[in-house]
Amino acid sequence: MNDAADGVTIIVFSGDMDKAMAAFNIAIGAAALGKEASMFFTFWGIKAIQKGNLTGDSFFGRMMGLLNRGGIERIGPSRFNFWGMGRWMFKQMLKMHEITPLTELRQTAMDLGVKLLPCQMSMEVMEIKKENLIDGVQPACGVATMLEMAYRSKASFFI
Amino acid sequence: MNDAADGVTIIVFSGDMDKAMAAFNIAIGAAALGKEASMFFTFWGIKAIQKGNLTGDSFFGRMMGLLNRGGIERIGPSRFNFWGMGRWMFKQMLKMHEITPLTELRQTAMDLGVKLLPCQMSMEVMEIKKENLIDGVQPACGVATMLEMAYRSKASFFI
Amino acid sequence: MNDAADGVTIIVFSGDMDKAMAAFNIAIGAAALGKEASMFFTFWGIKAIQKGNLTGDSFFGRMMGLLNRGGIERIGPSRFNFWGMGRWMFKQMLKMHEITPLTELRQTAMDLGVKLLPCQMSMEVMEIKKENLIDGVQPACGVATMLEMAYRSKASFFI
């Protein structure tokens, strides 16, 4: 069983590939040490736990879905994006140095018992449904639940 | 009275609308649970507690004021800004889903006793005067005061 | 001796000048109050402790090194960069208001005993060698070491 007292709570706000990598690495690091680790995916960060299909029903929802299309495989780094070139280059360097790709990092996190919490409000605003999220995530929740996790944790980060 | 031991301290560094929303939502969540919540507005984040009038005396101050003009109503999201289009679209979606706008979030935070602390150094560098800030904020303070808050808190975030 | 129990741990992920300033200011504030302060430089943040020479051996490494060239003196702010203009303007304003420049902030931090920890994985991916880093930094380490610091700290930030 994980040790809650020394846990880590991470708010994943960013939709950037490099920041998502950092977030998963921190969570995995904590879980590997036997600590509780929770990740709360909100705003653009929710992309990291989407399946990658187009989302949205309304005009705005579909536009947002189009801009935000693609799951964890399609997100670029926060710097030097160059219309996708940065993502490619960044991925090549990660590959060359045998750094675990984002999808595997996410799987490792889940295997180690890291809790992935989707933000209810973000799902509503961006018109993302439960079935648009990958399997194995926790039920959608709000700030209160996230804060409860943070209060139980020893360290909390907003990424 | 608020419970300091389980409080939250948020450094609001970003001048982005979506990040300010996230920051206020976390603070409100903590305050609603009866915990102490403090927000320290520094660098671009100070815009979220400005009245919105033009600021600055020197050439640089006025240029910065011009670029940074407008209060909480004028700030755009961190992604998909498209020369203001992103802000409009984002606002439409928030409206459609009846999400509380930023000005109301800020008022709610203040009503719930969230402490809004302006960063002294940022005000000096950006030439923002006390009268350029909204009513009800705490006296301007430095990193030491912010850290004291953070030490009393259970969770701290840099947004 | 620094007091670990009330310390601060800062993950410096960003390569932006203003965010690096905020990070050093928080660490200095904690150290000045006699608390332990650790900064973990990862991803783009590692630039803040580089000497500034070109790095990288492979094609990708050299490209990344070229884009990321220059140490702490070459990094621009996160907003209003305008092809370097923002950095210049920002620096002018800081100078006018006698705000300590980034290189001095870093030196002050080191003088006060702030620990600067380079992220091992980031150095490998970006092909940055030990000799590309400034003197006085701690040995490169991983997430586990950073988390240990965070667990000993009272407040932790991801910047």
Side-chain angles (χ1 to χ4, degrees):
Chain A
M1 221 192 76
N2 289 345
D3 181 358
D6 270 5
V8 162
T9 297
I10 302 167
I11 303 179
V12 186
F13 173 95
S14 168
D16 298 321
M17 174 201 186
D18 44 2
K19 290 194 178 172
M21 281 192 69
F24 279 112
N25 271 316
I26 296 169
I28 287 170
L33 295 167
K35 317 294 185 186
E36 191 179 66
S38 306
M39 302 173 82
F40 180 72
F41 295 85
T42 187
F43 285 77
W44 320 106
I46 211 158
K47 192 169 180 173
I49 50 169
Q50 277 184 249
K51 279 180 188 156
N53 50 341
L54 266 175
T55 53
D57 298 312
S58 69
F59 171 69
F60 293 115
R62 268 177 293 134
M63 261 185 94
M64 193 69 88
L66 202 65
L67 287 170
N68 222 4
R69 176 170 47 174
I72 208 167
E73 279 299 318
R74 282 276 309 262
I75 63 182
S78 59
R79 281 176 87 89
F80 311 134
N81 202 332
F82 299 130
W83 301 275
M85 228 283 281
R87 179 175 53 206
W88 174 80
M89 201 168 91
F90 199 70
K91 279 194 178 175
Q92 290 301 319
M93 284 203 68
L94 295 176
K95 202 172 167 183
M96 215 167 64
H97 294 278
E98 286 170 11
I99 300 298
T100 324
L102 207 36
T103 38
E104 279 178 44
L105 275 182
R106 186 175 66 189
Q107 192 53 53
T108 306
M110 292 175 87
D111 292 347
L112 287 170
V114 173
K115 284 198 191 93
L116 310 184
L117 308 152
C119 167
Q120 178 87 53
M121 195 188 77
S122 302
M123 289 179 67
E124 280 171 25
V125 172
M126 297 193 175
E127 300 178 1
I128 295 161
K129 297 194 190 72
K130 197 178 175 304
E131 57 263 30
N132 299 137
L133 301 181
I134 58 164
D135 294 329
V137 299
Q138 303 289 312
C141 64
V143 168
T145 306
M146 180 279 291
L147 279 174
E148 256 172 57
M149 297 282 183
Y151 290 145
R152 285 164 58 187
S153 301
K154 198 79 178 64
S156 47
F157 299 104
F158 182 96
I159 295 184
Chain B
M1 222 192 73
N2 289 347
D3 182 359
D6 271 5
V8 162
T9 297
I10 303 167
I11 303 179
V12 185
F13 172 95
S14 167
D16 297 321
M17 175 200 185
D18 43 3
K19 290 194 178 170
M21 282 192 68
F24 280 112
N25 272 315
I26 296 170
I28 287 170
L33 295 168
K35 317 292 185 189
E36 192 180 65
S38 306
M39 302 173 81
F40 180 71
F41 295 86
T42 187
F43 284 77
W44 321 107
I46 212 158
K47 193 169 180 173
I49 50 168
Q50 276 184 249
K51 279 181 187 155
N53 49 340
L54 266 175
T55 52
D57 297 312
S58 70
F59 170 69
F60 293 116
R62 269 176 293 134
M63 260 186 93
M64 194 69 88
L66 201 67
L67 286 169
N68 221 5
R69 177 170 45 176
I72 207 167
E73 279 298 318
R74 283 275 309 261
I75 60 181
S78 60
R79 281 176 88 87
F80 311 135
N81 201 333
F82 299 131
W83 300 276
M85 228 283 282
R87 179 175 53 205
W88 174 80
M89 200 169 93
F90 200 68
K91 278 194 179 177
Q92 291 300 320
M93 283 202 69
L94 295 176
K95 201 172 167 183
M96 215 169 64
H97 292 280
E98 286 170 10
I99 301 297
T100 323
L102 207 36
T103 39
E104 281 180 41
L105 275 182
R106 186 176 66 187
Q107 192 53 53
T108 305
M110 292 175 88
D111 293 347
L112 287 170
V114 173
K115 282 198 192 92
L116 310 185
L117 307 153
C119 167
Q120 179 88 53
M121 195 188 78
S122 302
M123 287 179 68
E124 280 170 27
V125 173
M126 298 191 175
E127 301 179 0
I128 295 162
K129 298 194 189 70
K130 198 179 175 302
E131 57 262 32
N132 300 138
L133 301 181
I134 57 164
D135 295 329
V137 298
Q138 302 289 313
C141 63
V143 168
T145 307
M146 181 280 289
L147 279 174
E148 255 173 57
M149 298 281 182
Y151 289 146
R152 283 163 60 187
S153 301
K154 199 78 178 64
S156 47
F157 300 104
F158 182 96
I159 295 184
Chain C
M1 221 192 75
N2 290 345
D3 181 1
D6 271 5
V8 161
T9 297
I10 304 168
I11 303 177
V12 185
F13 172 95
S14 168
D16 297 320
M17 173 200 187
D18 43 3
K19 290 194 179 171
M21 282 192 69
F24 279 113
N25 272 315
I26 296 169
I28 287 171
L33 295 168
K35 318 291 185 189
E36 193 180 65
S38 306
M39 302 174 80
F40 180 71
F41 295 87
T42 187
F43 286 77
W44 320 107
I46 211 158
K47 193 169 179 174
I49 51 169
Q50 276 184 250
K51 279 181 188 154
N53 49 342
L54 265 175
T55 54
D57 298 311
S58 70
F59 171 71
F60 293 115
R62 269 178 292 133
M63 260 185 94
M64 193 68 87
L66 202 66
L67 287 169
N68 222 5
R69 175 168 48 173
I72 209 168
E73 279 299 317
R74 282 275 310 259
I75 60 182
S78 60
R79 282 174 87 88
F80 310 135
N81 202 332
F82 298 131
W83 300 276
M85 228 283 281
R87 179 176 52 206
W88 174 80
M89 199 168 93
F90 200 68
K91 279 194 178 175
Q92 290 301 321
M93 284 203 68
L94 295 176
K95 202 174 168 183
M96 215 168 64
H97 294 279
E98 288 170 10
I99 300 297
T100 324
L102 208 36
T103 38
E104 281 180 41
L105 275 181
R106 187 176 65 188
Q107 192 53 53
T108 305
M110 292 174 88
D111 292 345
L112 287 170
V114 173
K115 284 198 192 93
L116 310 185
L117 308 151
C119 168
Q120 178 87 54
M121 195 187 78
S122 302
M123 288 178 68
E124 279 171 27
V125 173
M126 297 192 177
E127 300 177 2
I128 295 162
K129 298 193 189 73
K130 199 178 174 303
E131 56 263 31
N132 300 139
L133 301 182
I134 57 164
D135 295 330
V137 299
Q138 303 289 312
C141 63
V143 169
T145 306
M146 181 280 289
L147 279 173
E148 255 172 58
M149 297 280 183
Y151 289 146
R152 283 163 60 186
S153 302
K154 198 76 178 64
S156 47
F157 299 104
F158 182 95
I159 295 186

